[in-house]
Amino acid sequence: MNYILLTITLLPLVGALFVLMTPQDSGKKYVALGTTLLTFLVSLVLWFGWDSTNSGMQFVQHSAWIPEANIYFHLGVDGISMPLVLLTTFLMPIAVAFSNQHITDKVGPYLVLMLGLQSAMTGVFVALDMVVFFLFFEASLIPMYFLISRWGGDNRLYAAIKFFLYTLAGSAGILSALLGVLFMAGTVDVVAFQEAETLLPMGLQVWAFFAMAIGFGIKVPIFPFHTWLPDAHVQAPTAGSIILAGILLKMGTYGYVRFILPFFPDAAAQYGWIIAILAIIGIIYGALVALVQKDIKSLVAYSSVAHLGFVMLGIFSLNEQGISGAVLQMVNHGLSTGALFLMVGILYERRHTRMLDDFGGLWASVPVFTSLFLVVAMSSAGLPGLNGFVGEFTILLGMWATNPWFAAFGALGVILAAWYLLVAFRKMAQGPITNEANSAENLADLNRNELAMIVPLIVLFFVIGLFPNLFLDKISPSVAAMLGNTENAVIESHAASESANLTTEYTFTVSTK
């Protein structure tokens, strides 16, 4: 039996126990950072041990849990989930390293919550039985709630409660749909479901599709369920914002690909245009609201609404190209937006303000910080040669094959992203220094520890931007297999019932290479 995924999932919890047993705060910080680095190194086994000829699940562990209810502790990764596991293990050492420099109050509980959060997030991406997935999904709420409510900003309790209530409401929809599928199909294991080529009755599909789509949509979040996100981001500690944007939001988009499309293919084909329209609204609305923000952190928060709209647009292209681009863009957004929050946090620790009007002329005083910030901003804006471009371009190509009008409206988001990010950069970095606090004498440039956090992110921007097939060659076969299994189930079910005559605007398609 393969225990590598269980090891990656549980190692942070083991580290959390050692943090509790370590007496000094300095020791706790070393233990937590060492745990996240060790977990990342172990997770590299997934990348270097990957079988490119296998489009199915790899590193599988399958154990009995509640066999009477056909529920199993089933773990595995394919090209869809493996990059998200690596994203989680890659970002966590950066978040913990930043925390080690700036968290001085209740260090032990803070680090235990961070490590517990990592275990829960990893579990989400490796669970193949939806009951196990749901338990990990819910477990991630508790550490993030306490991280925001205890170590957040002045309005942290309001933001934490709003985050918890919104996500809990979404979880109710997911749970109700999960139970409906379990009672009707006898399993919520996505692999068993697809291997049996099961197709649920259309009535159940439609009801469960919308229940689960709203639940995961709140977690993404898609418009109009996004209102909790800016409050949570602005009030969360910097490391919390990095993890929230970089990983937690992907749990929602991942849920659409992993469970909604395979479980409810007919409903997704018939009603997916609704989600696509909401995604387009989110792209344009999020960008326009970001454009008028005065708080840099709030600007980055609203940019997440826009960028995750692109991910949703790719998913509901319902073809291999669009969905593969969406999976890649999940990784890209985690890296780019995580880097933006990291750099905003570094600047805040120096100036104790996030207001754009309080800056200006930073290029003269902190040239290294400003130069790297420009690279990060261009990554988020989708500059060719950087990671954001390949994800968004692939998504738009996929959506163009499905609905050119949707692709055209979605492309407006690329223009708007460049607009609000360049405006923010101009206000921060260009022009004369009008506030003495921004002068080189009063504002330190990046130190070695901060460069060690930022440079790996920027290196990945260029690696993905210049060599996207390193990732797409692993993602696309699994997407094609998922779509092929789904399409076979639909075809066989419809062939068996002449009365099944659904008129849909979308169809699932698998690219032929």
Side-chain angles (χ1 to χ4, degrees), residues 4-16 19 31-44 46 84-97 99 109-127 135-145 147 239-240 242-244 246-248 251:
I4 185 65
L5 295 180
L6 190 63
T7 301
I8 296 169
T9 304
L10 297 184
L11 257 180
L13 290 181
V14 176
V19 167
V31 170
L33 181 59
T35 299
T36 56
L37 289 171
L38 176 61
T39 306
F40 172 64
L41 291 175
V42 173
S43 71
L44 291 177
L46 304 183
L84 297 172
V85 174
L86 292 178
L87 175 68
T88 302
T89 61
F90 177 76
L91 285 180
M92 280 304 300
I94 296 172
V96 170
S99 301
Y110 176 92
L111 293 173
V112 167
L113 289 170
M114 288 287 285
L115 293 170
L117 180 60
Q118 179 174 359
S119 278
M121 294 185 300
T122 305
V124 163
F125 296 129
V126 301
L135 293 177
F136 280 120
F137 187 88
E138 292 301 289
S140 69
L141 297 182
I142 300 169
M144 183 54 71
Y145 169 82
L147 287 169
I242 294 170
I243 298 306
L244 181 59
I247 307 168
L248 274 175
M251 290 161 48

Coordinates of all heavy atoms in Angstrom, one line a residue, residues 4-16 19 31-44 46 84-97 99 109-127 135-145 147 239-240 242-244 246-248 251:
I4 N 2.5 7.5 0.7 CA 3.1 8.8 0.5 C 2.1 10.0 0.7 O 2.4 11.0 1.3 CB 3.8 8.9 -0.9 CG1 4.5 10.2 -1.0 CG2 2.7 8.7 -2.0 CD1 5.7 10.4 -0.1
L5 N 0.9 9.8 0.2 CA -0.1 10.9 0.4 C -0.5 11.0 1.8 O -0.7 12.2 2.3 CB -1.4 10.6 -0.5 CG -1.1 10.6 -2.0 CD1 -2.4 10.3 -2.8 CD2 -0.5 11.9 -2.5
L6 N -0.7 9.9 2.5 CA -1.0 10.0 3.9 C 0.1 10.7 4.7 O -0.1 11.5 5.6 CB -1.3 8.6 4.5 CG -1.8 8.5 5.9 CD1 -3.2 9.2 6.0 CD2 -1.9 7.1 6.4
T7 N 1.4 10.4 4.3 CA 2.5 11.0 5.0 C 2.5 12.5 4.8 O 2.7 13.3 5.7 CB 3.8 10.4 4.4 OG1 3.8 9.0 4.7 CG2 5.0 11.1 5.1
I8 N 2.3 13.0 3.5 CA 2.2 14.4 3.2 C 1.1 15.1 4.0 O 1.2 16.2 4.4 CB 2.1 14.6 1.7 CG1 3.3 14.1 1.0 CG2 1.9 16.1 1.4 CD1 3.1 14.0 -0.6
T9 N 0.0 14.4 4.1 CA -1.2 15.0 4.8 C -1.0 15.1 6.3 O -1.3 16.1 7.0 CB -2.4 14.1 4.5 OG1 -2.6 14.0 3.1 CG2 -3.7 14.7 5.2
L10 N -0.3 14.1 6.9 CA -0.2 14.0 8.4 C 1.1 14.6 8.9 O 1.1 14.9 10.1 CB -0.3 12.6 8.9 CG -1.7 11.9 8.6 CD1 -1.7 10.5 9.2 CD2 -2.8 12.7 9.1
L11 N 2.1 14.8 8.1 CA 3.4 15.3 8.6 C 3.2 16.7 9.3 O 3.7 16.9 10.4 CB 4.4 15.5 7.5 CG 5.5 14.5 7.4 CD1 6.4 14.8 6.2 CD2 6.3 14.4 8.7
P12 N 2.4 17.6 8.8 CA 2.2 18.9 9.5 C 1.5 18.7 10.9 O 1.9 19.4 11.8 CB 1.2 19.7 8.6 CG 1.5 19.1 7.2 CD 1.7 17.7 7.5
L13 N 0.7 17.7 11.1 CA 0.1 17.4 12.4 C 1.1 16.9 13.3 O 1.1 17.3 14.5 CB -1.1 16.4 12.3 CG -2.3 16.9 11.6 CD1 -3.4 15.8 11.6 CD2 -2.9 18.2 12.3
V14 N 2.0 16.1 12.9 CA 3.2 15.6 13.7 C 4.0 16.8 14.1 O 4.4 16.9 15.3 CB 4.0 14.6 12.9 CG1 5.2 14.2 13.8 CG2 3.2 13.4 12.6
G15 N 4.3 17.7 13.1 CA 5.0 18.9 13.5 C 4.3 19.8 14.5 O 5.0 20.4 15.4
A16 N 3.0 19.8 14.4 CA 2.2 20.6 15.4 C 2.4 20.1 16.8 O 2.5 20.8 17.8 CB 0.7 20.6 15.0
V19 N 5.7 21.2 18.0 CA 5.6 22.7 18.4 C 5.0 22.8 19.8 O 5.5 23.6 20.6 CB 4.7 23.4 17.4 CG1 4.4 24.8 17.9 CG2 5.4 23.5 16.0
V31 N 10.8 24.6 14.5 CA 10.1 23.3 14.3 C 9.1 23.4 13.2 O 9.0 22.6 12.3 CB 9.5 22.8 15.6 CG1 8.6 21.6 15.3 CG2 10.6 22.4 16.6
A32 N 8.3 24.5 13.3 CA 7.2 24.7 12.3 C 7.8 24.9 10.9 O 7.3 24.3 9.9 CB 6.4 25.9 12.7
L33 N 8.8 25.7 10.8 CA 9.4 25.9 9.4 C 10.1 24.7 8.9 O 9.9 24.3 7.7 CB 10.5 27.1 9.5 CG 11.1 27.4 8.2 CD1 10.1 27.9 7.2 CD2 12.2 28.5 8.4
G34 N 10.7 23.9 9.8 CA 11.4 22.7 9.4 C 10.3 21.7 8.9 O 10.5 20.9 8.0
T35 N 9.2 21.6 9.6 CA 8.1 20.7 9.2 C 7.6 21.0 7.9 O 7.4 20.1 7.0 CB 7.0 20.8 10.3 OG1 7.5 20.4 11.6 CG2 5.8 19.8 9.9
T36 N 7.3 22.3 7.6 CA 6.8 22.6 6.3 C 7.8 22.4 5.1 O 7.4 22.0 4.1 CB 6.3 24.1 6.2 OG1 7.4 25.0 6.6 CG2 5.2 24.4 7.2
L37 N 9.1 22.6 5.4 CA 10.1 22.4 4.4 C 10.2 20.9 4.2 O 10.4 20.4 3.0 CB 11.4 23.0 4.9 CG 11.6 24.5 4.8 CD1 12.8 24.9 5.5 CD2 11.5 25.0 3.4
L38 N 10.2 20.1 5.2 CA 10.3 18.6 5.1 C 9.1 18.1 4.3 O 9.2 17.2 3.4 CB 10.3 18.0 6.5 CG 10.3 16.4 6.5 CD1 11.5 15.9 5.7 CD2 10.3 15.9 7.9
T39 N 7.9 18.6 4.6 CA 6.7 18.2 3.9 C 6.8 18.5 2.4 O 6.4 17.7 1.5 CB 5.4 18.9 4.5 OG1 5.4 18.6 5.9 CG2 4.2 18.3 3.8
F40 N 7.4 19.7 2.1 CA 7.5 20.1 0.7 C 8.5 19.1 0.0 O 8.3 18.7 -1.1 CB 8.1 21.5 0.6 CG 8.5 21.9 -0.8 CD1 7.5 22.0 -1.8 CD2 9.8 22.2 -1.1 CE1 7.9 22.3 -3.1 CE2 10.2 22.5 -2.4 CZ 9.2 22.6 -3.4
L41 N 9.6 18.8 0.7 CA 10.6 17.9 0.1 C 10.0 16.5 -0.2 O 10.2 15.9 -1.2 CB 11.8 17.8 1.0 CG 12.7 19.0 1.1 CD1 13.8 18.8 2.1 CD2 13.3 19.4 -0.3
V42 N 9.2 16.0 0.8 CA 8.5 14.7 0.6 C 7.5 14.8 -0.6 O 7.4 13.8 -1.3 CB 7.8 14.3 1.9 CG1 7.0 13.1 1.7 CG2 8.8 14.1 3.0
S43 N 6.8 15.9 -0.7 CA 5.8 16.0 -1.7 C 6.4 16.0 -3.1 O 5.7 15.7 -4.1 CB 5.0 17.3 -1.5 OG 5.7 18.5 -1.8
L44 N 7.7 16.4 -3.2 CA 8.4 16.3 -4.5 C 8.4 14.9 -5.1 O 8.6 14.8 -6.4 CB 9.8 16.9 -4.4 CG 9.9 18.4 -4.2 CD1 11.3 18.8 -4.0 CD2 9.2 19.2 -5.3
L46 N 5.9 13.2 -5.6 CA 4.8 13.2 -6.5 C 5.2 13.7 -7.9 O 4.8 13.1 -9.0 CB 3.6 14.1 -6.0 CG 3.1 13.8 -4.6 CD1 1.9 14.7 -4.3 CD2 2.7 12.3 -4.5
L84 N -2.0 21.0 -7.3 CA -2.5 21.7 -6.1 C -1.9 21.2 -4.8 O -1.8 22.0 -3.9 CB -4.0 21.6 -6.1 CG -4.7 22.2 -7.4 CD1 -6.2 21.9 -7.4 CD2 -4.5 23.7 -7.4
V85 N -1.6 20.0 -4.7 CA -0.9 19.5 -3.5 C 0.5 20.1 -3.4 O 0.9 20.6 -2.4 CB -0.8 17.9 -3.6 CG1 0.1 17.5 -2.4 CG2 -2.1 17.3 -3.5
L86 N 1.2 20.2 -4.6 CA 2.5 20.8 -4.6 C 2.4 22.3 -4.3 O 3.3 22.9 -3.6 CB 3.2 20.6 -5.9 CG 3.6 19.1 -6.2 CD1 4.2 19.0 -7.6 CD2 4.6 18.6 -5.1
L87 N 1.4 23.0 -4.8 CA 1.2 24.4 -4.5 C 1.0 24.6 -3.0 O 1.6 25.5 -2.4 CB -0.1 24.9 -5.2 CG -0.5 26.3 -4.9 CD1 0.5 27.3 -5.5 CD2 -1.9 26.6 -5.5
T88 N 0.3 23.7 -2.3 CA 0.1 23.8 -0.9 C 1.4 23.6 -0.1 O 1.7 24.4 0.7 CB -1.0 22.7 -0.4 OG1 -2.2 22.9 -1.2 CG2 -1.2 22.8 1.1
T89 N 2.1 22.6 -0.5 CA 3.4 22.4 0.3 C 4.4 23.4 -0.1 O 5.4 23.6 0.7 CB 3.9 21.0 0.0 OG1 4.2 20.8 -1.4 CG2 2.9 19.9 0.3
F90 N 4.3 24.1 -1.2 CA 5.3 25.1 -1.6 C 5.0 26.4 -0.9 O 5.9 27.1 -0.4 CB 5.3 25.3 -3.1 CG 6.2 26.4 -3.6 CD1 7.5 26.2 -3.7 CD2 5.6 27.6 -4.0 CE1 8.4 27.2 -4.2 CE2 6.5 28.6 -4.5 CZ 7.8 28.4 -4.5
L91 N 3.7 26.8 -0.8 CA 3.4 28.1 -0.2 C 3.5 28.1 1.3 O 3.8 29.1 1.9 CB 2.0 28.5 -0.6 CG 1.8 29.0 -2.0 CD1 0.3 29.4 -2.3 CD2 2.7 30.2 -2.3
M92 N 3.3 26.9 2.0 CA 3.3 26.9 3.4 C 4.6 27.3 4.1 O 4.6 28.1 5.0 CB 2.8 25.6 3.9 CG 1.3 25.3 3.9 SD 0.3 26.5 4.8 CE 0.9 26.3 6.4
P93 N 5.8 26.9 3.6 CA 7.0 27.3 4.2 C 7.2 28.9 4.0 O 7.7 29.5 5.0 CB 8.1 26.6 3.4 CG 7.4 25.4 2.8 CD 6.0 25.8 2.6
I94 N 6.7 29.4 2.9 CA 6.8 30.9 2.8 C 5.9 31.6 3.8 O 6.4 32.6 4.4 CB 6.4 31.3 1.3 CG1 7.4 30.7 0.3 CG2 6.3 32.8 1.2 CD1 7.0 30.8 -1.1
A95 N 4.7 31.1 4.0 CA 3.8 31.7 4.9 C 4.3 31.6 6.4 O 4.3 32.5 7.2 CB 2.4 31.1 4.8
V96 N 4.9 30.4 6.7 CA 5.4 30.2 8.0 C 6.7 31.1 8.2 O 6.9 31.6 9.3 CB 5.7 28.7 8.3 CG1 6.5 28.5 9.6 CG2 4.4 28.0 8.3
A97 N 7.5 31.2 7.2 CA 8.7 32.0 7.3 C 8.4 33.4 7.6 O 9.0 34.1 8.4 CB 9.6 31.8 6.1
S99 N 5.6 34.5 9.0 CA 5.0 34.6 10.3 C 6.1 34.6 11.4 O 6.0 35.3 12.4 CB 4.1 33.4 10.5 OG 3.1 33.4 9.6
P109 N 0.3 28.6 19.7 CA -1.0 28.3 19.1 C -1.1 28.8 17.6 O -1.8 28.1 16.8 CB -2.0 29.2 20.0 CG -1.2 29.3 21.3 CD 0.2 29.3 20.9
Y110 N -0.5 29.9 17.3 CA -0.6 30.3 15.9 C 0.0 29.3 15.0 O -0.6 28.9 13.9 CB 0.2 31.7 15.8 CG 0.3 32.2 14.4 CD1 -0.7 33.1 13.9 CD2 1.3 31.8 13.5 CE1 -0.6 33.6 12.6 CE2 1.4 32.3 12.2 CZ 0.5 33.2 11.8 OH 0.6 33.7 10.5
L111 N 1.2 28.8 15.3 CA 1.9 27.8 14.4 C 1.2 26.5 14.4 O 1.1 25.8 13.3 CB 3.3 27.7 14.9 CG 4.2 28.9 14.7 CD1 5.6 28.7 15.3 CD2 4.4 29.3 13.2
V112 N 0.6 26.1 15.5 CA -0.2 24.9 15.5 C -1.4 25.0 14.6 O -1.7 24.0 13.8 CB -0.7 24.5 16.9 CG1 -1.8 23.4 16.9 CG2 0.5 24.1 17.8
L113 N -2.1 26.1 14.6 CA -3.2 26.4 13.7 C -2.7 26.3 12.2 O -3.4 25.8 11.4 CB -3.9 27.7 14.0 CG -4.7 27.7 15.3 CD1 -5.1 29.2 15.6 CD2 -5.9 26.8 15.2
M114 N -1.6 26.9 11.9 CA -1.1 27.0 10.6 C -0.8 25.5 10.1 O -1.1 25.2 8.9 CB 0.2 27.8 10.5 CG 0.0 29.3 10.6 SD -0.8 30.0 9.1 CE 0.6 30.1 8.0
L115 N -0.2 24.7 10.9 CA 0.2 23.4 10.5 C -1.1 22.5 10.4 O -1.2 21.7 9.5 CB 1.1 22.8 11.5 CG 2.5 23.4 11.5 CD1 3.4 22.9 12.7 CD2 3.3 23.1 10.2
G116 N -2.0 22.7 11.3 CA -3.3 22.0 11.2 C -4.1 22.4 9.9 O -4.7 21.5 9.3
L117 N -4.0 23.6 9.6 CA -4.6 24.1 8.3 C -4.0 23.4 7.1 O -4.7 23.0 6.2 CB -4.5 25.6 8.2 CG -5.1 26.3 7.0 CD1 -6.6 26.0 6.9 CD2 -4.8 27.8 7.0
Q118 N -2.7 23.3 7.1 CA -2.0 22.6 6.0 C -2.5 21.2 5.8 O -2.7 20.7 4.7 CB -0.5 22.6 6.2 CG 0.3 22.0 5.0 CD 1.8 22.1 5.1 OE1 2.3 22.7 6.0 NE2 2.5 21.5 4.1
S119 N -2.6 20.5 6.9 CA -3.1 19.1 6.8 C -4.5 19.0 6.2 O -4.7 18.2 5.4 CB -3.1 18.4 8.2 OG -1.8 18.0 8.6
A120 N -5.3 19.9 6.7 CA -6.7 19.9 6.2 C -6.8 20.2 4.7 O -7.5 19.6 3.9 CB -7.6 20.9 7.0
M121 N -6.0 21.2 4.3 CA -6.0 21.6 2.9 C -5.4 20.5 2.0 O -6.0 20.2 0.9 CB -5.2 22.9 2.7 CG -5.8 24.1 3.3 SD -5.0 25.7 3.0 CE -3.3 25.3 3.6
T122 N -4.3 19.9 2.4 CA -3.8 18.7 1.7 C -4.8 17.6 1.5 O -5.0 17.0 0.5 CB -2.5 18.2 2.3 OG1 -1.6 19.3 2.5 CG2 -1.8 17.2 1.5
G123 N -5.5 17.3 2.6 CA -6.5 16.3 2.6 C -7.6 16.5 1.6 O -8.1 15.6 1.0
V124 N -8.0 17.8 1.4 CA -9.0 18.1 0.4 C -8.5 17.7 -1.0 O -9.3 17.1 -1.7 CB -9.3 19.7 0.5 CG1 -10.0 20.1 -0.8 CG2 -10.1 20.0 1.7
F125 N -7.3 17.9 -1.3 CA -6.8 17.7 -2.7 C -6.5 16.2 -2.9 O -6.3 15.8 -4.1 CB -5.6 18.6 -3.0 CG -5.9 20.0 -3.0 CD1 -5.2 20.9 -2.2 CD2 -7.0 20.6 -3.7 CE1 -5.5 22.3 -2.2 CE2 -7.3 21.9 -3.6 CZ -6.5 22.8 -2.9
V126 N -6.3 15.4 -1.9 CA -6.0 14.0 -2.1 C -7.2 13.1 -1.9 O -7.1 11.9 -2.3 CB -4.8 13.6 -1.3 CG1 -3.6 14.4 -1.6 CG2 -5.1 13.6 0.2
A127 N -8.3 13.5 -1.3 CA -9.4 12.7 -1.0 C -10.2 12.4 -2.3 O -10.6 13.3 -3.0 CB -10.3 13.3 0.0
L135 N -15.0 16.1 5.1 CA -14.5 16.3 6.4 C -13.2 17.1 6.4 O -13.1 18.0 7.3 CB -14.2 14.9 7.0 CG -15.4 14.0 7.3 CD1 -15.0 12.7 7.8 CD2 -16.3 14.7 8.3
F136 N -12.3 16.9 5.5 CA -11.1 17.8 5.4 C -11.6 19.2 5.0 O -11.0 20.2 5.5 CB -10.2 17.2 4.3 CG -9.3 16.1 4.8 CD1 -9.4 14.9 4.1 CD2 -8.4 16.3 5.8 CE1 -8.6 13.8 4.6 CE2 -7.6 15.2 6.2 CZ -7.7 14.0 5.6
F137 N -12.5 19.4 4.1 CA -13.0 20.7 3.7 C -13.5 21.5 4.9 O -13.2 22.7 5.1 CB -14.1 20.5 2.7 CG -14.7 21.7 2.0 CD1 -14.1 22.2 0.9 CD2 -15.7 22.4 2.6 CE1 -14.6 23.3 0.2 CE2 -16.2 23.5 1.9 CZ -15.6 24.0 0.8
E138 N -14.3 20.8 5.8 CA -14.8 21.5 7.0 C -13.7 21.8 8.0 O -13.7 22.8 8.7 CB -15.9 20.6 7.6 CG -17.2 20.5 6.8 CD -17.8 21.9 6.5 OE1 -18.3 22.5 7.4 OE2 -17.7 22.4 5.3
A139 N -12.8 20.8 8.1 CA -11.7 21.0 9.1 C -10.9 22.2 8.8 O -10.3 22.8 9.7 CB -10.8 19.8 9.1
S140 N -10.8 22.7 7.5 CA -10.0 23.8 7.2 C -10.6 25.1 7.7 O -9.9 26.1 7.8 CB -9.8 23.9 5.7 OG -11.0 24.2 5.0
L141 N -11.9 25.1 8.0 CA -12.6 26.3 8.4 C -12.1 26.8 9.8 O -11.9 28.0 10.1 CB -14.1 26.1 8.5 CG -14.8 25.8 7.2 CD1 -16.3 25.7 7.5 CD2 -14.6 26.9 6.2
I142 N -11.9 25.8 10.7 CA -11.6 26.1 12.1 C -10.3 26.9 12.3 O -10.3 27.9 12.9 CB -11.7 24.8 12.9 CG1 -13.1 24.2 12.8 CG2 -11.3 25.1 14.4 CD1 -13.2 22.8 13.4
P143 N -9.2 26.4 11.7 CA -7.9 27.1 11.9 C -8.0 28.5 11.3 O -7.5 29.5 11.9 CB -6.9 26.2 11.2 CG -7.5 24.9 11.1 CD -8.9 25.1 11.0
M144 N -8.6 28.6 10.1 CA -8.6 29.9 9.5 C -9.5 30.9 10.2 O -9.1 32.1 10.3 CB -9.1 29.8 8.0 CG -9.1 31.1 7.2 SD -7.5 32.0 7.3 CE -6.5 31.0 6.2
Y145 N -10.6 30.4 10.8 CA -11.4 31.3 11.6 C -10.6 31.9 12.8 O -10.6 33.1 13.1 CB -12.6 30.5 12.2 CG -13.4 31.3 13.3 CD1 -14.3 32.2 12.9 CD2 -13.1 31.0 14.6 CE1 -15.0 32.9 13.9 CE2 -13.8 31.7 15.6 CZ -14.7 32.7 15.2 OH -15.4 33.4 16.2
L147 N -7.3 32.1 13.1 CA -6.2 32.9 12.6 C -6.6 34.3 12.3 O -5.9 35.3 12.7 CB -5.5 32.3 11.4 CG -4.7 31.0 11.6 CD1 -4.4 30.4 10.2 CD2 -3.4 31.3 12.3
A239 N 0.2 36.1 6.5 CA 0.3 34.7 6.2 C -1.1 34.1 5.9 O -1.2 33.3 5.0 CB 1.1 34.0 7.3
G240 N -2.0 34.5 6.7 CA -3.4 34.1 6.5 C -3.9 34.5 5.1 O -4.6 33.7 4.4
I242 N -2.0 35.0 2.4 CA -1.3 34.2 1.5 C -2.0 32.9 1.3 O -2.2 32.4 0.2 CB 0.2 34.1 1.9 CG1 0.9 35.4 1.9 CG2 0.9 33.1 1.0 CD1 2.3 35.4 2.5
I243 N -2.3 32.2 2.4 CA -2.9 30.9 2.3 C -4.3 30.9 1.9 O -4.8 30.1 1.1 CB -2.8 30.2 3.7 CG1 -1.3 30.0 4.1 CG2 -3.5 28.9 3.7 CD1 -0.5 29.3 3.1
L244 N -5.1 31.9 2.3 CA -6.5 32.1 1.9 C -6.6 32.2 0.4 O -7.3 31.5 -0.3 CB -7.1 33.3 2.6 CG -8.6 33.5 2.3 CD1 -9.4 32.3 2.6 CD2 -9.1 34.8 3.0
G246 N -4.0 31.8 -1.9 CA -3.1 30.9 -2.6 C -3.7 29.5 -2.6 O -3.6 28.8 -3.7
I247 N -4.4 29.0 -1.6 CA -4.8 27.6 -1.5 C -6.3 27.5 -1.2 O -7.0 26.8 -1.9 CB -4.0 26.9 -0.4 CG1 -2.5 27.1 -0.7 CG2 -4.3 25.4 -0.4 CD1 -1.6 26.7 0.5
L248 N -6.8 28.1 -0.1 CA -8.1 27.9 0.3 C -9.2 28.1 -0.7 O -10.1 27.4 -0.9 CB -8.4 28.7 1.6 CG -8.0 28.1 2.9 CD1 -8.3 29.1 4.0 CD2 -8.8 26.8 3.2
M251 N -9.9 25.3 -3.2 CA -10.8 24.2 -2.8 C -12.1 24.3 -3.4 O -12.7 23.3 -3.7 CB -10.9 24.2 -1.2 CG -9.5 23.8 -0.6 SD -9.4 24.3 1.2 CE -11.0 23.7 1.8

